[in-house]
């Protein structure tokens, strides 16, 4: 990643588009404080990535497409309860937060089943539910629909746009290597290639 500079407005659905290996995930991992930048500076929700990393983490929810940190023998409900505790959700509110997240992604009917029995799409929906447990104002979605069928992917994208951004006013950074996913979905899109920003504009402008 070299000399990338951009800003995202509060409540914006902002896309990062580029081929595999372009630097999109590296950029998001830096913004999520998982990788420390070697130069430059960035702020997330007003907090400096390096000096205020704990404040940054509390303000974001991260969804990765290659997530492997769920526990297979635990149910979806038990997994989310565990991660809610790690996110410092008050014990008295864990049940409510878990139920709300599961309901939002249509997972309540399988919530008591072991995670290892979930389909790939169900696992990814649980992954997104986990990112919302502590109700962060900012979401980083790294190819969240990668392993979903078309119907589930459309359901998730509609949920992100209408509910999370439209009704709840969350700010979303959405990563994809497919331009069609961005069209009529993102407010603006930045194109990343070989670690550099090549273009920035609305999907219509870029098309």
């Amino acid at each position: 990643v070299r000399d990338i500079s951009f800003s995202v407005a509060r409540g914006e659905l902002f896309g990062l588009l580029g081929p595999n290996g372009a630097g999109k995930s590296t950029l998001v991992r830096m913004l999520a404080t998982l990788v420390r930048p070697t130069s430059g500076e960035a702020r997330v929700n007003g907090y400096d990535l390096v000096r205020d990393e704990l404040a940054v983490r509390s303000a974001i929810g991260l969804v990765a497409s290659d997530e492997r940190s769920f526990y297979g023998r635990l149910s979806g409900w038990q997994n989310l309860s565990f991660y809610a505790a790690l996110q410092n959700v008050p014990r008295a509110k864990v049940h409510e937060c878990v139920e709300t997240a599961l309901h939002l992604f249509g997972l309540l009917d399988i919530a008591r089943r072991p995670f290892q029995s979930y389909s790939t799409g169900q696992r990814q929906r649980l992954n997104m539910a986990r990112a919302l447990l502590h109700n962060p104002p900012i979401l980083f979605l790294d190819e969240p629909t990668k392993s979903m069928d078309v119907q589930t992917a459309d359901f998730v994208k509609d949920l992100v746009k209408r509910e999370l951004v439209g009704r709840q006013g969350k700010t979303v950074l959405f990563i994809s290597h497919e331009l069609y996913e961005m069209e009529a979905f993102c407010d603006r899109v930045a194109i990343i290639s070989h670690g550099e920003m090549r273009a920035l504009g609305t999907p219509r402008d870029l098309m």
Side-chain angles (χ1 to χ4, degrees), residues 104 143 203:
L104 194 62
E143 298 194 49

Side-chain angles (χ1 to χ4, degrees), residues 40-60:
E41 63 180 31
R43 292 181 176 274
V44 175
N45 207 35
Y47 299 111
D48 183 89
L49 288 188
V50 177
R51 293 192 300 269
D52 306 311
E53 63 177 19
L54 292 181
V56 170
R57 291 176 188 174
S58 68
I60 66 171

Side-chain angles (χ1 to χ4, degrees), residues 8-197:
V8 179
R10 187 182 302 274
E12 185 175 11
L13 209 173
F14 188 91
L16 282 180
L17 174 70
N20 292 330
K24 307 182 302 296
S25 295
T26 299
L27 176 59
V28 165
R29 287 189 175 100
M30 284 192 288
L31 295 176
T33 75
L34 299 178
V35 175
R36 179 163 291 202
T38 54
S39 63
E41 63 180 31
R43 292 181 176 274
V44 175
N45 207 35
Y47 299 111
D48 183 89
L49 288 188
V50 177
R51 293 192 300 269
D52 306 311
E53 63 177 19
L54 292 181
V56 170
R57 291 176 188 174
S58 68
I60 66 171
L62 174 64
V63 175
S65 60
D66 58 351
E67 182 53 56
R68 297 186 182 92
S69 64
F70 286 108
Y71 295 91
R73 295 184 181 181
L74 298 183
S75 68
W77 189 289
Q78 289 169 323
N79 268 288
L80 291 193
S81 297
F82 171 73
Y83 284 107
L86 292 185
Q87 290 285 6
N88 295 317
V89 174
R91 181 173 296 183
K93 291 190 174 183
V94 167
H95 186 281
E96 178 187 352
C97 290
V98 169
E99 185 174 47
T100 299
L102 289 168
H103 174 71
L104 194 62
F105 288 94
L107 296 169
L108 272 178
D109 59 333
I110 61 169
R112 304 295 180 178
R113 283 170 37 191
F115 175 77
Q116 61 193 8
S117 70
Y118 285 17
S119 68
T120 302
Q122 290 167 341
R123 294 182 180 197
Q124 190 63 352
R125 279 188 283 154
L126 191 73
N127 189 13
M128 295 191 68
R130 177 175 59 179
L132 293 169
L133 289 172
H134 59 301
N135 194 28
I138 298 170
L139 292 174
F140 295 144
L141 307 182
D142 190 351
E143 298 194 49
T145 61
K146 182 178 180 180
S147 302
M148 296 177 180
D149 58 58
V150 174
Q151 185 176 6
T152 304
D154 287 344
F155 162 77
V156 168
K157 287 170 59 182
D158 186 68
L159 183 65
V160 169
K161 189 174 184 70
R162 294 181 183 274
E163 172 66 20
L164 302 183
V165 176
R167 195 180 74 82
Q168 298 185 22
K170 295 186 185 299
T171 304
V172 173
L173 200 66
F174 185 90
I175 295 179
S176 178
H177 62 272
E178 301 284 359
L179 183 57
Y180 77 87
E181 276 207 307
M182 307 289 191
E183 191 178 7
F185 179 62
C186 293
D187 299 317
R188 289 187 302 150
V189 176
I191 296 179
I192 309 293
S193 179
H194 299 291
E196 298 180 346
M197 184 179 292

